[in-house]
Amino acid sequence: METKKLALNNISLMIICLGFIIGSIIMSIPLYYGFLAGIVLTVTVLVKSGYILRDLVKTIFTAVYEIKNLIIVILFIGATTSIWMASGVVPTIMYYGFSYMEGVNFLFAAFLIMVTVSLFMGTAIGTMSTVGISLSGIGMGLGIPQSVVVGMLVSGAFIADKISPLSGLINLLMTTTGKRYKDIFKTMIVTLIPTIIIAAAVYYIIGLSYTTGDYDKLILYREAIAEGFNTSPYLLILPVIILGLSIAGLNSIITFSIGVGVGSILSILFQGSDIKTIIMSILFGYRGNTPSAELNKLLVSGGMVSMIEAILMVIGAIVLVQLFEKGNILLPIMEKLVNGINNKITLVRRTGLLSTLLTVATCDQTAGIILPTKILKNKYEELDLDLAVLTRTISDTGIIVAPLMPWNINSFLIKPIMGITAAQYAPFAVLCFICPVVSMTISYILYRKK
């Protein structure tokens, strides 16, 4: 009875905290206020439950300190989007893209490009902030609604978090389950291929409506880019460098640093920018200055300053999750959810449910990886089900649904890069919906009699 009461109290606390966050979205209040309210409530409840305030404050500061590298990466993402525009890289890609995409099913082609690049880069947000912004400009230049374009880009980019060997999340999965990449890849490919085929087919069908764009407008855009920038194939050296460093597995901070440095040099050499202009673009963002006012609206980035709100929301999410873990709030709820598992298909379904709920409730994919693995690992061994299936199920559910929630860390980062919220692009991020369905369907076929 005491355990049930504890679980009920924990659920109530989590629901109230989630209510603060959702309320912030509904009322158009910055999300970090919702997280702050949740943090204050959680600390109050824990103190009344016997926890020492000093220890909780220490937990908060430790949580912030542990994500210092993530904060630096977020700032570099803001700098990177600006330098890709200021250097002329994005305008150059758009310039050539407007020519080669005439009559092509853009959504279909761009989705496959994002899937391929994200696999090599190993980071969904990194792919969005580089190749993604270029493809976004082309797509909107072709007259495709921004929400549709960004939804497609998110679908392709998050393949990185799902299966790329360079992904930090995949490496965390391998560490927690003790499986090698070649083992989990063979298992993951079973659901990955059908998911990509179905998503590509959906984007192909949607894209048919946009293959007859306003090419007169594209010609005007090309002329405006040619007048406003010095375009050159040599500018594509920056994307090549970033992709090469990512494939080599170089640290993200170093990769972004080199990218910003090379981009700054290209800005000076090709666009005639001075040091002051470059620094101002990196810090406060870039605004297009071509003869086309409409095109200028596509050539906009916020720089490092625009990422501050995202950083505050990330800190709020991480701190709240750490307080939940400190107060042992999550574990009793999770253990209650795994009761009654007696066959393989139930185990797989419960894994997907658990991972998804944790990603939704904690605003981060990490909890959706670590806790299900911790709680269900022995059950997989007991039912003689390979732990590679555990990694596949988590990557197909808790990891892939993350960008659909407006309060998720990934959504915080996508908003300043793409300029729209998860509520706007989520309906068109079809792969993130399809993947869990495909995963559960295939699992049912494989394990329904076991």
Side-chain angles (χ1 to χ4, degrees), residues 69-322:
N69 286 344
L70 175 58
I71 292 172
I72 294 171
V73 168
I74 293 172
L75 289 172
F76 268 120
I77 288 171
T80 298
T81 55
S82 291
I83 208 67
W84 274 53
M85 290 190 182
S87 63
V89 171
V90 169
T92 294
I93 293 175
M94 291 173 66
Y95 181 84
Y96 293 120
F98 287 149
S99 298
Y100 292 114
M101 288 296 178
E102 287 186 18
V104 173
N105 190 313
F106 173 80
L107 289 178
F108 176 74
F111 171 70
L112 296 180
I113 291 171
M114 287 295 283
V115 167
T116 304
V117 173
S118 66
L119 280 171
F120 287 115
M121 290 196 69
T123 162
I125 300 300
T127 306
M128 292 291 292
S129 64
T130 50
V131 178
I133 57 172
S134 302
L135 292 175
S136 174
I138 296 172
M140 288 188 287
L142 291 169
I144 305 175
Q146 187 179 18
S147 55
V148 177
V149 173
V150 177
M152 173 273 297
L153 296 175
V154 167
S155 287
F158 275 80
I159 288 294
D161 286 2
K162 173 178 162 43
I163 199 170
S164 172
L166 300 173
S167 166
L169 295 175
I170 291 300
N171 280 279
L172 177 60
L173 262 175
M174 289 191 292
T175 301
T176 53
T177 58
K179 302 296 291 185
R180 295 175 300 175
Y181 184 75
K182 70 175 185 178
D183 297 324
I184 68 171
F185 180 80
K186 288 186 291 186
T187 304
M188 286 182 174
I189 204 75
V190 174
T191 57
L192 176 68
I193 292 177
T195 297
I196 291 178
I197 290 174
I198 294 171
V202 171
Y203 287 123
Y204 180 82
I205 293 169
I206 298 174
L208 290 175
S209 303
Y210 302 104
T211 53
T212 55
D214 184 353
Y215 296 121
D216 289 337
K217 180 189 289 186
L218 296 189
I219 292 172
L220 292 176
Y221 280 176
R222 279 172 53 86
E223 291 174 352
I225 290 173
E227 190 171 336
F229 296 91
N230 289 318
T231 59
S232 168
Y234 291 112
L235 284 167
L236 301 180
I237 188 175
L238 182 53
V240 171
I241 288 174
I242 294 295
L243 186 58
L245 294 177
S246 299
I247 294 172
L250 198 63
N251 177 280
S252 296
I253 294 177
I254 297 175
T255 299
F256 278 120
S257 299
I258 293 173
V260 171
V262 172
S264 299
I265 293 171
L266 293 176
S267 297
I268 294 171
L269 295 178
F270 286 89
Q271 310 307 330
S273 302
D274 55 47
I275 300 297
K276 180 182 177 182
T277 301
I278 292 171
I279 292 174
M280 293 297 286
S281 295
I282 290 172
L283 292 177
F284 301 104
Y286 177 81
R287 301 289 181 274
N289 188 28
T290 70
S292 170
E294 192 173 349
L295 176 62
N296 291 340
K297 294 177 182 178
L298 305 180
L299 299 174
V300 175
S301 67
M304 287 184 168
V305 170
S306 69
M307 306 304 289
I308 292 176
E309 183 174 344
I311 289 172
L312 292 175
M313 290 188 284
V314 168
I315 290 173
I318 295 295
V319 167
L320 191 57
V321 172
Q322 288 298 315

Side-chain angles (χ1 to χ4, degrees), residues 177 351 372-373 376-377 380 386-395:
T177 58
T351 302
T373 304
L376 296 171
K377 191 174 180 180
Y380 271 79
D386 197 318
L387 290 177
V389 178
L390 172 61
T391 64
R392 181 185 72 197
T393 306
I394 291 174
S395 75

Side-chain angles (χ1 to χ4, degrees), residues 35-72:
F35 284 113
L36 180 60
I39 291 168
V40 171
L41 175 63
T42 303
V43 169
T44 302
V45 170
L46 292 179
V47 169
K48 288 186 176 181
S49 301
Y51 286 85
I52 299 172
L53 179 59
R54 183 174 65 254
D55 290 342
L56 297 178
V57 172
K58 183 178 179 182
T59 298
I60 291 172
F61 279 106
T62 300
V64 176
Y65 179 77
E66 287 177 351
I67 61 167
K68 61 182 184 300
N69 286 344
L70 175 58
I71 292 172
I72 294 171

Side-chain angles (χ1 to χ4, degrees), residues 2-16 45 329 333:
E2 190 65 31
T3 303
K4 289 183 178 180
K5 183 179 179 182
L6 178 61
L8 184 61
N9 290 337
N10 290 345
I11 292 172
S12 299
L13 177 60
M14 289 183 65
I15 290 174
I16 294 172
V45 170
I329 292 169
I333 301 173

